[in-house]
Amino acid sequence: MPSTALLDALAAAAAIAILAAWLFRRQHSSRLPLPPGPPRLPILGNALDVVANGASQAYLKMGQKLGSDIICLDAMGMHLVILNSREAATDLLEKRSTIYSDRPWMTMICELIGLGWSLPLAPYGDDWKLSRKMFHHELNLGTAEKFRDMERTEAHVLLYKLLHRPEEFLGHIRHLVGATIVRMAYGIDAQPEDDPYVRLAEDAIQGPSQAATPGTYLVDTWPILKHLPSWFPGAGFKRDAVEFRRLIDTLLNTPYENMQDRMRKGETPDCAASSLLEVFGDGISADANTERVLKNTLASMYIAGTDTSVSTLSTFFLAMVLNPEVQAKAQMELDAVSGGHRLPVFTDQVSMPYITAIMMESLRWKPVVPLNLPHMSTEGGIYRGYYIPKGSIVCSNDWAILHDERVYPNPSAFDPDRFMKDGAINAEVPHPETAAFGFGRRICPGRYMAHDMLWITIASVLAIFTISKEVNDAGEEVMPETCSLPGFLSHPKPFKCTIKPRSQSHVALVEDATN
Ligand code: HEM
């Protein structure tokens, strides 16, 4: 039986431990305020201030009203921290990336649809690290260049289609991006029209894109609903999840199996899959864990790379419709370099800074992810005297950063000249890629490939075509709407335009390149 003295000592030790824990909590949480936020209601806190659509602009206004570039909504225990300036985003997401690189777990998309394995949604852990290593191996600044030939070929296919069915330009852009990524990831040459792999990939990401938009599914707010049986009234989300999961599983497995079949037959497709199997496996397969991560990595290229690139290219077309003078200036640059006798090549980049500036401005003017993908903190931390609790959801407001008028004067104008100085890109103006692709350890690993795909497509389209307003039956020009569709990824509202080749000799250039 323990002695009284021992019991006293234990009680004293317990009291000291409790006091120390209390002091620690007090020091690290309650004593310091959260970053500023709107007034909090009892129980609900700021739950009613969380914005689903148009969030980036609403949070910027909220910050301006509160006089702070960092704000915090405390919604029933969930802390949502918005970083409205480049400085705050860099300080937290980059300089303190060891603790701001996790992702929140969204019940519908991560668990029920099962996409928690995909790189953009994966928790910050070993699978994520291995997958980033694979991405880096294939798509870093140097290696991404090996995919340039296929990007150029797909740009030529786009030119051919624009020549023959210009009114379907949005579908053609979608095909260009899908075909490039399927070719790059699995070495599958997509058919020019209605390719089954491109179609599969497009179908498969539709449901998850919808599910990633906050507020679409109640189960993300009340995860307990996931236990409802699928026949239960109101449990339609469970039936949706089964269908979405089936498509995602097909996307994960079918193109990979196609690539492996070809390798077993002795083919060596030149693609990310075979190169990764060479480095991380035995050339044809890898151990079960590595192969699982490898398949996830390849499918993540498609899941994360398509809608984002399609959105930027749609923005480019919209900007050309609205800014004929920008287009004319770009064509002067193109003609001065190529004499109008050939299509652009990647080595032209150095002598075509204005084309690069148009690409930069397309990323800035309507950023694809206006409110960046959420990062989650794995530890509590103090920033500028505010306490940011562990488990906070931290989003950089990329729209606010890219529309900061101190950096980009008259930010709502599409003006590539803002990046130019003395006929070259002005290194003093921050490149929009430094925010449009996110921050820190979670920064987009496909950014170099995206840059190349966008550049060659923009240069090729402007070399051959003039894009202008749609003309209606009465012969009047129709102004396109410039608003974006709702959703966490921003897409310009679909619009019509006129796309005409600049001359017969330009038509001939396309025909030569695609015959
Ligand atoms: C214009 C094109 C693109 C834009 C604007 C874009 C933008 C972004 C942004 C903002 C993020 C989130 C970064 C963060 O959390 O801080 C991201 C993540 C990601 N992007 Fe991109 N992206 C583009 C193209 C691509 C392409 C072509 C690929 C692949 C081939 C790709 C693969 C990924 C992946 C896998 C992630 C998740 C990274 C992680 O969570 O660790 N992206 N992208």
Side-chain angles (χ1 to χ4, degrees):
M1 187 149 182
S3 70
T4 322
L6 181 61
L7 284 175
D8 285 351
L10 283 174
I16 289 168
I18 291 167
L19 185 68
W22 179 79
L23 281 173
F24 181 84
R25 271 182 68 86
R26 203 176 137 77
Q27 193 181 357
H28 287 84
S29 58
S30 51
R31 216 169 56 182
L32 291 172
L34 294 170
R40 293 166 183 132
L41 297 171
I43 303 173
L44 287 178
N46 294 121
L48 304 180
D49 298 308
V50 176
V51 183
N53 281 320
S56 54
Q57 297 187 41
Y59 291 140
L60 176 62
K61 281 198 193 118
M62 211 179 268
Q64 285 164 342
K65 211 165 146 196
L66 292 161
S68 174
D69 60 348
I70 162 166
I71 57 174
C72 175
L73 302 183
D74 179 356
M76 299 195 292
M78 187 267 286
H79 297 103
L80 174 61
V81 177
I82 308 289
L83 311 173
N84 278 335
S85 72
R86 185 186 293 274
E87 188 195 2
T90 311
D91 283 348
L92 292 186
L93 305 184
E94 293 198 354
K95 294 187 187 154
R96 300 188 192 176
S97 59
T98 37
I99 60 169
Y100 288 105
S101 295
D102 204 0
R103 295 276 197 222
W105 189 251
M106 293 167 71
T107 310
M108 180 66 179
I109 191 166
C110 297
E111 204 170 319
L112 299 181
I113 299 177
L115 255 179
W117 52 257
S118 69
L119 193 55
L121 298 170
Y124 184 64
D126 290 343
D127 282 1
W128 175 84
K129 282 185 190 147
L130 179 56
S131 186
R132 287 286 310 201
K133 238 188 225 169
M134 292 177 175
F135 250 100
H136 182 77
H137 186 268
E138 287 308 296
L139 293 179
N140 68 42
L141 183 56
T143 54
E145 287 188 8
K146 68 182 173 184
F147 300 114
R148 284 182 165 182
D149 279 350
M150 67 183 75
E151 286 153 3
R152 192 160 169 258
T153 306
E154 287 304 330
H156 294 173
V157 174
L158 172 73
L159 297 181
Y160 182 85
K161 290 180 179 178
L162 290 177
L163 218 46
H164 295 281
R165 295 194 320 279
E167 65 290 351
E168 293 172 29
F169 72 101
L170 282 175
H172 302 328
I173 296 174
R174 225 161 231 296
H175 186 278
L176 167 132
V177 177
T180 308
I181 296 185
V182 166
R183 173 76 186 78
M184 182 267 287
Y186 304 100
I188 295 174
D189 281 321
Q191 293 162 19
E193 305 287 346
D194 207 21
D195 178 80
Y197 290 100
V198 174
R199 193 162 13 97
L200 163 68
E202 259 183 34
D203 292 348
I205 60 166
Q206 262 175 24
S209 308
Q210 205 181 309
T213 303
T216 309
Y217 289 102
L218 220 51
V219 67
D220 285 322
T221 318
W222 288 294
I224 194 151
L225 294 177
K226 71 182 175 191
H227 299 296
L228 287 177
S230 35
W231 50 262
F232 201 78
F237 65 92
K238 289 202 83 168
R239 297 187 288 275
D240 286 355
V242 171
E243 176 55 15
F244 298 161
R245 187 188 270 264
R246 187 186 63 75
L247 285 168
I248 285 290
D249 286 349
T250 317
L251 174 66
L252 193 59
N253 296 312
T254 317
Y256 187 78
E257 283 160 10
N258 168 313
M259 183 276 313
Q260 273 202 319
D261 278 353
R262 283 179 295 138
M263 286 182 81
R264 282 195 203 98
K265 286 179 195 147
E267 282 181 43
T268 44
D270 179 16
C271 60
S274 60
S275 152
L276 289 173
L277 279 172
E278 199 67 54
V279 178
F280 292 87
D282 62 11
I284 294 199
S285 62
D287 68 72
N289 187 51
T290 308
E291 191 157 14
R292 178 180 58 79
V293 176
L294 197 151
K295 279 165 76 174
N296 295 349
T297 304
L298 296 168
S300 294
M301 291 179 177
Y302 196 92
I303 289 166
T306 38
D307 261 9
T308 42
S309 310
V310 168
S311 161
T312 308
L313 287 171
S314 311
T315 295
F316 153 71
F317 273 82
L318 179 62
M320 292 305 101
V321 175
L322 297 171
N323 299 279
E325 71 295 344
V326 168
Q327 207 174 164
K329 196 166 170 180
Q331 288 170 340
M332 270 172 60
E333 179 179 82
L334 280 153
D335 294 348
V337 175
S338 71
H341 305 310
R342 62 169 179 81
L343 289 166
V345 289
F346 276 104
T347 46
D348 290 330
Q349 277 195 78
V350 270
S351 32
M352 294 185 181
Y354 195 70
I355 297 291
T356 305
I358 291 181
M359 185 199 72
M360 292 163 76
E361 186 66 340
S362 302
L363 285 163
R364 186 206 67 82
W365 186 50
K366 282 181 178 284
V368 179
V369 194
L371 190 68
N372 193 13
L373 264 62
H375 290 221
M376 198 172 77
S377 59
T378 45
E379 277 175 35
I382 297 166
Y383 180 59
R384 295 195 202 150
Y386 299 123
Y387 184 66
I388 301 179
K390 174 179 174 176
S392 295
I393 294 173
V394 184
C395 296
S396 54
N397 189 340
D398 296 350
W399 187 91
I401 294 168
L402 294 169
H403 282 243
D404 180 345
E405 54 194 350
R406 291 165 307 175
V407 183
Y408 307 109
N410 192 11
S412 53
F414 185 91
D415 177 16
D417 273 307
R418 68 175 79 247
F419 297 112
M420 301 287 293
K421 190 177 176 188
D422 302 332
I425 295 291
N426 181 357
E428 282 164 24
V429 182
H431 199 305
E433 285 177 7
T434 55
F437 289 112
F439 290 91
R441 296 189 186 186
R442 287 284 187 165
I443 194 171
C444 173
R447 61 197 182 283
Y448 301 115
M449 180 199 171
H451 172 112
D452 284 350
M453 188 164 49
L454 297 176
W455 193 90
I456 198 67
T457 307
I458 290 172
S460 305
V461 168
L462 288 177
I464 301 300
F465 296 99
T466 296
I467 304 164
S468 53
K469 295 191 185 84
E470 179 207 5
V471 178
N472 67 14
D473 294 342
E476 297 150 345
E477 286 192 330
V478 182
M479 189 73 165
E481 286 184 67
T482 57
C483 55
S484 300
L485 294 174
F488 95 99
L489 280 189
S490 165
H491 281 275
K493 198 169 169 191
F495 57 93
K496 293 183 178 169
C497 61
T498 306
I499 302 174
K500 283 196 175 145
R502 295 171 64 201
S503 73
Q504 269 314 306
S505 59
H506 289 96
V507 174
L509 281 181
V510 178
E511 282 169 352
D512 285 353
T514 46
N515 272 336

